[in-house]
Structures are given as C-alpha cells and as structure tokens.
Amino acid sequence: MPTPPSPTRPVLIAGAGIGGLTAALALRRRGVPVAVYERRQAGEIVMAGSGLTIWSNATTALGTLGLTDTLLARGEKVLGGVSVDARERPIYRMRTARHTWPGSVPSVSISRGDLIDLLMEACETAGVPVHLNRRCVGYEQGPDGVVLKLDDGQAVQGSVLVGADGIRSAILAQLHGEPPEPLYTGRSTYRGISPTPEGLAPGTVYMFHHAPTRVGGGAWHVGGGRVAWTLSRAADPGEREEQSVLRERALDLARPLPGLPSRLVAATAAPAVIRTDIFYHQWRERWGDGRVTLLGDAAHAMPTDLGQGACQAIEDAVVLAAALAAHDDPVRALRVYEERRLPRVRWVREQVMRLVRWPQIDNRALKWLVTKVVAPAVIAVKQRSLWRELQRPPLPWDGAPGSGEAR
C-alpha cells in the first residue's frame, strides 16, 4: 500500500480559498497530513457579497468528501437557466439538470461566504490546521522536502507545497520567475445578494443583456430566500469608486434592463454591494516543479462565463488528494495530478474563451438574426454535449499507482 507523507512533513497549502480548503479536506479524509496558510483573517475570507453556481461536476466532487447534505441544505438546487431580452422575453433556455451524470449530486447555487464557511467548518471538524493572517511569500526546495516562507520571516517545512493562493499567487510568481500579469477581460462587475427573491423562481439561473448599453448579468437563488445578482459593463481596469456610490451606480446600470435586476439591486443594502474587475491568466502548460504544484486560480484563472472557476478548483483538489494518497513518491504524485488535470481544464477554458470572444454586433438587423435565430439554434444543438461534458465529475480511480481515472 502507498505510504502517505510523514506526519512531521505535511502537505503545505498556500491559500484558504475554495480550492485550498477543499484540497486540505480531501487530503485529510485520505489520511494525508496537511496544513493551510492564509494571508487573510476569517472574516475577510467569508465574503458574503457574491454568489456562485457550483455545477454538478464540482458538487459531486464535494459529495465524495461527505458534504452533500450540508451543501444542499445551505444552497439551492439548480435546474437550468433562461436568457431574456430587454422585454423579459426568453431568448433561449438551458436545461442543465438533464445533462448531469448518473449518480451525480445536483448543481447548487450558494453564496461564496456560505461555501467557504462550510468548508472551514468541515476542515475544523476533520482536524485540519488553518493558519490565518499568515502571508505566503515564497519557498525553497530540498531533496526530501520543501520550505514555505511566510512574510513574518518564519518558515514551515513540508513534504510538498500546493500554491492555491489565487490569481496573483506568490507561488506562481516564483515558479515562473516573474509576477503573474493577469489579463483583463474589459469588463467590471457589480455584485450583491438581495435578502428577498423579488419574484425570481428557485432553481433558475436568470440571465439578461441590454444591447444598447452592453450591460448584462445574471441572478440566482443562493439559499434562504436570498438571490445573488451581478451586473457587468465595459470599463477600463483599475477604476475606483467609493463604497457609498456602488449601489447607486448598480441601480443606474440596471435601469434600462428588465424589471427584476432593478428590484434586486434596490432590495440589497448599500454596504453589501461590491465591484470586481474580471481578470484571467494566459494559459500555462507548466503548473509545477519538483515538490511544488498549483491549484485553482493560481494555475488557471479564467473568466466567469459558464461559472466553472470555482468548480475547476474543486476538481483540482480531489484529484490532487487522490494522487498524493496513491503514490509513494510525492513528486511523482504531483506530476500525475498535473497530467490528469491539464487536458480537462484546457478544454473547459476553451469553451469559456469562445463565449468571451463572441463578437459584438452593431447592425440591428443582423443582431436580431443572431440573437433570435442563430444563437438559440446553436445553443440548442450544442447544449447537450457542452453541459454533459462540463458536468462530468472527476470520477475516482482505483487507488493503484499509475492507474487512470474511472470512466
């Protein structure tokens, strides 16, 4: 049987976001010692101002860690989505629940804060040490271990290091010899969570777009009768607005849109509205070296279209844990993890980038043809295969070193 890393040299995880916490829990569930180091305090991590859709591929991965019941209790099942025009008339519908895999956990929409909170609780129950307010700044590798450097001058020894420290990862910067330069999508988003649904039915991801202003967004239930919303507009990177004006700015953007977005923004308390520019990484084929690897946004930050950013971090986490538990050699385990994840994430990213690069059409007649006829027809044809593959869960392998994932 494979021997997990020595308890005196745990797997070190830089970052206590969704991917880092999921990886820590998955490793602990498999008997692998692990420790997490995070630059933020707990209140900063549990950010209640945004919502996520965790599609079936990722909820099924979380289910293997014993989180199904908690996830379904705190979030809301997703059945599909609808995209509407400026008069709230449906353009096309997505019946995503039809395209999940047999035995999978349903897709769930949930607030980011609730998801982080349940992962933190699960890690605490499992005995995972999560060290907060400890910024990771670099590492050193040796023949039989790795040292994680912290900003207070301390150093921690481990068997391997997982960089799960986000899009501006210090671990990524050292691995590639330069600070990462995230690419800007050209869009900035205003986000919040309304305490009331304002008429939105549960189970539906509601998407909208106003062609003249090119403002778009979505809304979805996140449990407890609350609805998360987002509004996106073209903007220069780095624009700054005071917290006091964010809600009014969001109301201005929502005004030309269908009635639901305006009602949701109006129902949201001003301090709960946030603004985020959307960045992503250029694609990198190399995620690791020696006893170091990357996970989640540190490895493959992508635009938010299709809602797969957090989902792919969760997939990373369970595959990484399986690899480390199945191999005597932790260095080989990290390379196996990367080999298994690269093709999958590359394919998901390609689907996302196709949406990001969808051309803007200014000719009114052509725009009508594309939005009313072409897009719905293409989506109808592609929907089944796209959502079937997107929601393919990272199925467990049999545990033998070198074995492939079950199909």
Side-chain angles (χ1 to χ4, degrees), residues 37 268 306 315 356:
Y37 293 84
T268 304
L306 293 179
E315 285 192 24
V356 172

Side-chain angles (χ1 to χ4, degrees), residues 84-105:
V84 301
D85 64 17
R87 297 182 181 180
E88 294 189 280
R89 297 174 300 191
I91 299 173
Y92 61 84
R93 297 183 185 275
M94 302 184 305
R95 295 174 173 83
T96 55
R98 294 183 179 182
H99 309 311
T100 58
W101 288 58
S104 293
V105 178

Side-chain angles (χ1 to χ4, degrees), residues 189-245:
T189 61
Y190 297 78
R191 306 181 189 188
I193 296 180
S194 167
T196 54
E198 298 301 315
L200 179 63
T204 298
V205 178
Y206 183 89
M207 297 165 290
F208 45 85
H209 180 73
H210 186 249
T213 60
R214 294 184 178 176
V215 171
W220 55 96
H221 279 254
V222 291
R226 300 168 299 158
V227 170
W229 56 266
T230 180
L231 289 164
S232 168
R233 70 173 178 90
D236 293 330
E239 289 183 354
R240 292 290 178 264
E241 292 174 317
E242 296 295 327
Q243 177 65 45
S244 59
V245 306

Side-chain angles (χ1 to χ4, degrees), residues 21-80:
L21 291 173
T22 303
L25 182 62
L27 287 162
R28 191 72 185 91
R29 290 273 194 262
R30 290 178 174 270
V32 178
V34 61
V36 182
Y37 293 84
E38 165 60 45
R39 63 178 176 81
R40 295 167 293 181
Q41 297 286 358
E44 297 177 83
I45 307 172
V46 183
M47 180 180 64
S50 62
L52 299 169
T53 301
I54 307 300
W55 296 104
S56 181
N57 51 305
T59 59
T60 303
L62 292 173
T64 67
L65 308 181
L67 298 177
T68 300
D69 291 343
T70 306
L71 191 62
L72 293 176
R74 296 202 187 185
E76 191 81 35
K77 290 183 182 179
V78 176
L79 302 177

